[in-house]
Amino acid sequence: TRTIDPRVCPDIPTMLPGVVTVSATGAKGLKSSYSNYGKGVIDVAAPGGDSTVYQTPEPPAVNGLILSTLPGGRFGYKAGTSMASPHVAGVVALIKSRHPNASPAAVKVLLGLQADAKACGAPYDIDGDGTVDAVCEGTKVYNGFYGAGVVDALD
């Protein structure tokens, strides 16, 4: 065990100005099994998909993944925070279209304000083995799994 002083060894890129940190949610709206998390680390959450072993979607959906572009001009289903981040980028574009003169810091504040707050919920046992797999700290308004909440393009 060692203590890392962020003033000497910053967490890059999350500690850089203007960076938005994103966690992913699965088909049940829970933090995806693989997603990063931590109070004071996550700004917002967005759909990123997850294995159906952990979060089975409701019919007619066939998997809990996100449809995305693939190399060669194809489409396919994937999961990851790399699938969640484009959702956030799209909402940022919408915010910027409504507030073209907003600074990056103001856009980040507006991004948090439009998000739908999401509480931590029950203890996080994503694989159902009786052991808590991750600890969510914070309130419904801001916590380590969902930050300020799940982005909402309609807002």
Side-chain angles (χ1 to χ4, degrees):
T1 302
R2 66 184 180 138
T3 302
I4 308 281
D5 183 348
R7 291 170 297 185
V8 176
C9 184
D11 182 10
I12 305 293
T14 61
M15 293 178 77
L16 294 174
V19 171
V20 174
T21 55
V22 179
S23 69
T25 60
K28 298 290 185 191
L30 301 173
K31 181 188 86 62
S32 296
S33 59
Y34 57 80
S35 186
N36 49 339
Y37 66 97
K39 188 174 180 191
V41 175
I42 300 300
D43 292 315
V44 291
D50 204 353
S51 168
T52 56
V53 170
Y54 302 121
Q55 297 190 58
T56 305
E58 298 293 325
V62 295
N63 66 44
L65 306 178
I66 304 296
L67 183 62
S68 182
T69 56
L70 297 174
R74 298 177 298 124
F75 290 89
Y77 289 93
K78 301 174 89 54
T81 51
S82 295
M83 297 294 102
S85 294
H87 284 86
V88 176
V91 172
V92 166
L94 290 171
I95 290 169
K96 196 65 176 158
S97 74
R98 291 282 310 265
H99 306 279
N101 299 319
S103 68
V107 170
K108 190 171 178 178
V109 168
L110 291 168
L111 180 66
L113 291 173
Q114 66 71 48
D116 294 335
K118 183 165 178 63
C120 291
Y124 187 80
D125 177 15
I126 197 70
D127 57 7
D129 68 356
T131 302
V132 173
D133 298 304
V135 176
C136 182
E137 299 175 301
T139 65
K140 179 179 181 179
V141 176
Y142 183 81
N143 62 64
F145 277 11
Y146 311 106
V150 179
V151 294
D152 184 343
L154 292 176
D155 288 352

